[in-house]
Amino acid sequence: MIKKSHFSFARIVLISAIVFSFNEISAQSSSTILKDLKWSERMALSVIKRAPKAWQVDNNEKPKWDYKLGLLMTSFEKLHQETKNPVYGDYIKAYGETVVNPSGEIMNYKLEDYNIDYVNPGKFLFELYKRTNDNRYLIAMQTLRKQLETHPRTNSGGFWHKKIYPYQMWLDGLYMGTPFYARYTVEFDKGKDLNDVAKQFEQIHLHTLDKKTGLLFHAWDESKQMPWANKETGTSPNFWSRSIGWYMMALVDVLDYMPKEHPKRKELIQYLNDISKAVAKYQDKSGLWYQVTDAGNKEGNYLEASGSEMFVYAFAKGAKKGYLPASYKKLALKGFDAITKKLVTVDADGEIHITQVCASAGLGGNPYRDGSFEYYIKEKIKIDNSHGLGPFILAALEVEQ
């Protein structure tokens, strides 16, 4: 005969084992991903299911330090802070330990390449360093900050996109460099470089703004030597939604570190309001935005996921923080609802996929990219490309609040 106390203890152990097992299965996404979870977690668990190691995203064959994976880790970091679920923190930590060795050296990183994209993954290192107190991450951040010390600039003070793209500023580069730069100067240098952070936005606004639409062209060549550059203004010829999305995300993220009393804060908030007003005009009735922002349903143009997600994120966060009017939250909710209904597919086991993601787009290079409408619409469109994963989680976290 089993004594009552023994039975109770056995029952507790059994129940605990069942709960632990269920949590492990759910957390590792090795079975069904529950549909009653929030979209942010559904996507994160789907990512982990497809790529148990973060570097495997995009079917990469080997680990690398990469701006897209940095974007994804940044989204996981925000999700980890929101949920406190260690599964997300462990996923980030495993990637960090893979791409930053114990001496603080960054995998496949060369400072002398002066590639602004390489700075972006540095953002997830701040919280990882705080959580682990592992000095490798501090050394890595110091290395990236050192890059910005000597990174080539336009004559007017803007960071070149890359050394191989001399005298060029791209909207993408604002997201790649300025949020890291802003946080580093606030946390380690008492904010001494915030004016320089603001200068990057000032230069982009001054040189890429189209006064007719209020939108920003993808890039500017100060030298006006690139075949894609307007011979009078130096701007590229079209508006690409994801590039504008990069710029808007950079603004709302940099403002996190811009003190209320800082003289440049109002200027950055005004830039955010200006571009938000312009972007809102081009939101399709579906709630989404097109690959080429202002071209509507012109033949070949399509409703693109990553740009739409970035706009949703910037609108929702901007409204939450009080940078934008509250009405932008409604636009964000409309946009995110359209993303989940029109661009997300769900497998029988609950795994979700994001469709209609532009795989990549740029200017110049080899083969040459001319920035034409035809160029943007002919770039590969993929499912679950990392450009669409991180922004989905970021957007979801903002609209879920």
Side-chain angles (χ1 to χ4, degrees):
M1 182 176 179
I2 300 174
K3 290 183 179 180
K4 186 175 182 181
S5 59
H6 288 171
F7 175 77
S8 298
F9 177 77
R11 183 171 61 181
I12 291 169
V13 170
L14 178 61
I15 292 171
S16 297
I18 292 170
V19 170
F20 177 80
S21 179
F22 174 78
N23 287 341
E24 278 293 291
I25 290 171
S26 297
Q28 296 300 335
S29 194
S30 57
S31 64
T32 300
I33 296 172
L34 301 177
K35 293 184 179 181
D36 59 355
L37 287 171
K38 292 181 178 180
W39 282 108
S40 53
E41 291 206 76
R42 292 174 71 182
M43 179 59 83
L45 293 172
S46 296
V47 169
I48 294 172
K49 187 169 187 176
R50 291 189 291 268
K53 297 182 185 299
W55 60 262
Q56 296 170 323
V57 171
D58 288 334
N59 299 310
N60 290 321
E61 295 181 357
K62 58 184 180 181
K64 61 178 178 177
W65 180 258
D66 176 82
Y67 78 88
K68 300 184 294 294
L69 295 176
L71 169 64
L72 185 61
M73 292 301 94
T74 296
S75 73
F76 266 73
E77 185 57 62
K78 290 183 182 293
L79 182 61
H80 179 242
Q81 291 175 9
E82 185 71 24
T83 64
K84 310 303 181 188
N85 188 334
V87 168
Y88 308 131
D90 291 346
Y91 195 65
I92 297 163
K93 184 171 179 283
Y95 178 69
E97 290 175 345
T98 301
V99 295
V100 182
N101 74 18
S103 299
E105 295 171 329
I106 302 170
M107 179 179 285
N108 67 268
Y109 170 84
K110 293 181 180 178
L111 186 151
E112 60 272 17
D113 284 349
Y114 290 115
N115 183 342
I116 204 78
D117 287 348
Y118 285 159
V119 177
N120 186 59
K123 291 186 300 188
F124 82 88
L125 299 181
F126 289 94
E127 293 300 325
L128 188 54
Y129 174 56
K130 289 180 181 179
R131 281 207 308 276
T132 64
N133 204 31
D134 189 332
N135 210 48
R136 73 173 80 189
Y137 303 123
L138 177 60
I139 294 170
M141 288 189 287
Q142 290 169 339
T143 299
L144 298 173
R145 177 62 188 89
K146 187 177 179 182
Q147 176 184 325
L148 297 179
E149 293 266 337
T150 53
H151 196 99
R153 296 175 181 245
T154 63
N155 291 317
S156 53
F159 292 127
W160 291 6
H161 193 61
K162 300 178 184 180
K163 186 169 71 173
I164 60 171
Y165 298 137
Y167 297 99
Q168 296 172 37
M169 293 187 75
W170 298 13
L171 299 185
D172 320 34
L174 272 290
Y175 185 78
M176 301 304 152
T178 58
F180 172 88
Y181 192 12
R183 184 167 184 178
Y184 191 98
T185 193
V186 167
E187 294 195 4
F188 295 105
D189 292 327
K190 299 181 180 179
K192 71 179 181 64
D193 297 308
L194 285 174
N195 282 337
D196 194 37
V197 172
K199 178 184 282 188
Q200 307 309 309
F201 292 96
E202 291 168 349
Q203 288 301 304
I204 279 288
H205 188 266
L206 178 64
H207 296 292
T208 68
L209 176 65
D210 176 57
K211 293 182 179 178
K212 181 180 178 181
T213 61
L215 299 173
L216 302 180
F217 291 107
H218 187 174
W220 167 64
D221 173 15
E222 185 183 41
S223 72
K224 303 175 185 176
Q225 296 301 304
M226 293 300 294
W228 54 255
N230 183 295
K231 297 309 174 188
E232 293 183 7
T233 65
T235 58
S236 59
N238 277 287
F239 308 110
W240 179 39
S241 286
R242 187 157 76 219
S243 70
I244 299 172
W246 287 128
Y247 168 82
M248 292 176 68
M249 290 207 303
L251 275 170
V252 293
D253 287 355
V254 161
L255 281 166
D256 286 342
Y257 306 103
M258 193 67 70
K260 289 184 178 180
E261 67 277 9
H262 197 281
K264 297 294 184 181
R265 181 182 169 88
K266 287 184 179 180
E267 178 181 71
L268 297 186
I269 291 174
Q270 188 59 55
Y271 290 162
L272 178 62
N273 276 267
D274 290 346
I275 190 60
S276 296
K277 183 178 179 181
V279 164
K281 289 188 300 184
Y282 292 99
Q283 186 174 21
D284 181 66
K285 61 183 180 181
S286 67
L288 302 169
W289 282 265
Y290 281 92
Q291 164 78 339
V292 179
T293 318
D294 66 328
N297 60 1
K298 181 178 178 179
E299 186 176 357
N301 207 13
Y302 63 95
L303 296 166
E304 199 274 332
S306 65
S308 296
E309 292 163 352
M310 291 176 178
F311 294 153
V312 166
Y313 171 72
F315 281 1
K317 183 175 179 180
K320 179 185 73 177
K321 294 276 191 174
Y323 310 141
L324 295 174
S327 58
Y328 281 93
K329 180 65 179 288
K330 293 180 180 179
L331 299 182
L333 291 170
K334 179 181 179 181
F336 192 76
D337 185 58
I339 291 165
T340 58
K341 289 180 177 176
K342 299 179 183 299
L343 301 183
V344 166
T345 61
V346 184
D347 294 346
D349 63 359
E351 181 181 338
I352 69 172
H353 306 272
I354 184 69
T355 66
Q356 291 182 211
V357 184
C358 173
S360 183
L363 295 157
N366 185 22
Y368 186 76
R369 300 166 295 180
D370 65 2
S372 64
F373 172 83
E374 289 71 25
Y375 161 71
Y376 286 110
I377 64 169
K378 289 180 180 177
E379 279 287 17
K380 288 182 180 178
I381 303 170
K382 291 192 174 183
I383 297 172
D384 294 332
N385 178 269
S386 55
H387 287 103
L389 300 175
F392 180 96
I393 295 171
L394 291 172
L397 285 169
E398 289 300 327
V399 300
E400 287 164 358
Q401 292 180 10

